[in-house]
Amino acid sequence: MLFSTKDHSRPLFWEDDTWKFLADHGRKFYRSRPVSGSGGFSRRLRRGAPQLHDVATTALEKLMKESFGDGAEREPMLRNTRKPVLVPCYDLTSSAPLLFSRANALETNEFDFRLREVCQATLAEPGVLEQVRMRSVDGQTRCVAVGGALLMSNPGGAAVTHVLHNK
């Protein structure tokens, strides 16, 4: 959210706006204790447990569309961030870590995604918020993403690895 922009100069959200957004709305999406009957974490991951969190997911989608805008021409994309970003997620389709990167998005539309979906994906947690089905700008890349904490307990290490293995 901090690096999103519509006019390539001013941020869409300032630091205080982002903190306030998370403080005001975070309780709607995350509960302090597990949902009763949600089963084990691995079972929630496989099933996605959509019946437990449809309301929270729908509310988050609506809030993200209101905050970022909705519509292909007006909506901020990963390639349009003010600074380089690297957002860790996990792709349930390929069972592999997924790093959304502005550098990759600038190279090809195959790796450019809607910024609101990237934000939703990194917030998604099985049993709490539904996974995000995403499609790249050109429609060639598809994934079902959840937050990267499932596999990457150290996002800084993932960022260093990504930089070392890429240009």
Side-chain angles (χ1 to χ4, degrees):
M1 292 179 77
L2 292 172
F3 299 109
S4 61
T5 179
K6 284 190 179 180
D7 62 5
H8 303 289
S9 62
R10 292 174 304 165
L12 190 57
F13 301 93
W14 295 97
E15 293 87 355
D16 289 343
D17 297 333
T18 302
W19 176 250
K20 187 172 176 12
F21 176 90
L22 293 172
D24 290 348
H25 301 290
R27 284 181 283 255
K28 295 176 189 172
F29 312 118
Y30 293 101
R31 297 186 177 130
S32 59
R33 56 188 182 281
V35 178
S36 64
S38 61
F41 177 77
S42 61
R43 188 173 341 136
R44 289 192 323 253
L45 178 60
R46 284 192 305 272
R47 281 191 328 215
Q51 71 277 10
L52 298 174
H53 46 71
D54 276 348
V55 173
T57 300
T58 302
L60 178 61
E61 286 175 6
K62 180 181 177 196
L63 187 59
M64 288 294 187
K65 285 179 181 180
E66 288 171 3
S67 299
F68 283 96
D70 188 19
E73 294 174 17
R74 301 178 316 218
E75 202 169 353
M77 305 302 284
L78 184 58
R79 73 174 35 238
N80 301 119
T81 57
R82 294 176 50 237
K83 302 274 184 182
V85 295
L86 194 63
V87 180
C89 286
Y90 184 80
D91 183 8
L92 296 174
T93 305
S94 65
S95 299
L98 173 64
L99 291 167
F100 292 103
S101 161
R102 182 181 84 162
N104 291 347
L106 286 170
E107 285 185 18
T108 176
N109 285 339
E110 188 177 354
F111 298 115
D112 194 15
F113 293 86
R114 289 176 184 83
L115 209 48
R116 72 174 163 84
E117 290 180 338
V118 173
C119 288
Q120 278 180 249
T122 198
L123 290 170
E125 180 184 328
V128 179
L129 290 171
E130 190 173 330
Q131 66 270 11
V132 180
R133 297 182 187 284
M134 302 173 69
R135 184 181 290 187
S136 63
V137 171
D138 67 358
Q140 297 301 309
T141 305
R142 295 178 185 191
C143 64
V144 178
V146 295
L150 286 174
L151 189 63
M152 291 177 264
S153 60
N154 181 359
V160 169
T161 302
H162 179 80
V163 169
L164 292 175
H165 287 188
N166 294 290
K167 303 173 203 162

